Amino acid sequence: PSHCATDTKDIPEKKGSTSYDGCKKGKREQAGVLVNRKSFPLSFMVAPADIHDSRLYDPTLEAFEIPEVLGRPIIISADAAYDAREIRRCNRKRGIKINIPVNQKFRKQLKRGRPFRSDPELYKKRSAVERFFSCTEAFKKIVPRYERHERSFMGLIHLACTFMIGRILG
């Protein structure tokens, strides 16, 4: 895949039950996903919602890497929540270009040095992630989350992804 997009989304849980890590309800989980331009899911991660989006970026990208295959994204688009020094450094080591707008909200002073560039036309193609999340919402067992264990929830996600890919290819 040449251009991919990533994002996270909160997954509400069914009222009155416990989450997969044994905590009482009221806490939510979030899903991190990496998709290609056609909204095909390449990797999917579930984590507690108290983790920031940028902390879920690296595990999501590592879940996509297959040892025998050299295919990796060339460009990854993400929203301003992923504007972190660690993410930029990690992608530079992997040889991946990133298209992340600068998050002005957390900049107290202007950053010295070369400015970060983001392509607004390429950023518009990040809507593939939003299309993926809207397609998963069509499956009523996924949102809100009814499954208590992570492995059964991930099984539902994989089944939903199989149906989505079948619709696109069929």
Side-chain angles (χ1 to χ4, degrees):
S2 61
H3 179 253
C4 296
T6 186
D7 202 2
T8 59
K9 182 177 181 170
D10 287 338
I11 303 170
E13 295 177 336
K14 181 184 171 193
K15 293 181 182 178
S17 63
T18 57
S19 64
Y20 69 88
D21 58 358
C23 297
K24 282 289 185 195
K25 275 308 179 184
K27 295 203 172 193
R28 305 166 72 147
E29 274 91 30
Q30 66 179 347
V33 68
L34 179 71
V35 299
N36 67 0
R37 283 187 286 183
K38 296 181 180 180
S39 298
F40 284 167
L42 302 174
S43 70
F44 192 89
M45 297 292 296
V46 177
D50 59 351
I51 296 175
H52 191 265
D53 294 355
S54 63
R55 301 279 180 201
L56 197 58
Y57 176 82
D58 201 32
T60 305
L61 195 59
E62 286 177 6
F64 171 66
E65 292 181 4
I66 304 167
E68 291 82 24
V69 180
L70 295 175
R72 74 168 63 142
I74 297 172
I75 300 173
I76 295 179
S77 293
D79 59 2
Y82 292 93
D83 183 25
R85 183 178 301 132
E86 296 86 24
I87 290 176
R88 294 185 186 277
R89 188 177 304 137
C90 179
N91 283 330
R92 207 172 307 127
K93 284 181 187 176
R94 290 183 173 140
I96 299 172
K97 296 179 183 177
I98 54 174
N99 190 28
I100 301 174
V102 175
N103 192 351
Q104 298 293 339
K105 184 177 179 181
F106 298 112
R107 301 268 183 202
K108 293 185 172 100
Q109 58 187 353
L110 290 175
K111 188 165 170 92
R112 296 182 359 207
R114 195 175 347 170
F116 298 123
R117 294 194 178 110
S118 69
D119 186 7
E121 290 300 317
L122 191 59
Y123 186 75
K124 289 179 186 176
K125 295 178 183 176
R126 196 186 72 80
S127 64
V129 175
E130 307 303 332
R131 282 194 310 270
F132 171 79
F133 282 128
S134 67
C135 287
T136 57
E137 288 178 4
F139 296 92
K140 300 298 181 195
K141 275 288 225 189
I142 295 175
V143 179
R145 180 178 171 168
Y146 286 97
E147 300 299 322
R148 181 176 178 195
H149 299 287
E150 182 180 10
R151 63 182 174 271
S152 58
F153 179 69
M154 289 299 289
L156 286 175
I157 292 291
H158 289 286
L159 186 63
C161 293
T162 303
F163 281 124
M164 289 188 314
I165 291 172
R167 282 186 204 157
I168 293 172
L169 296 178

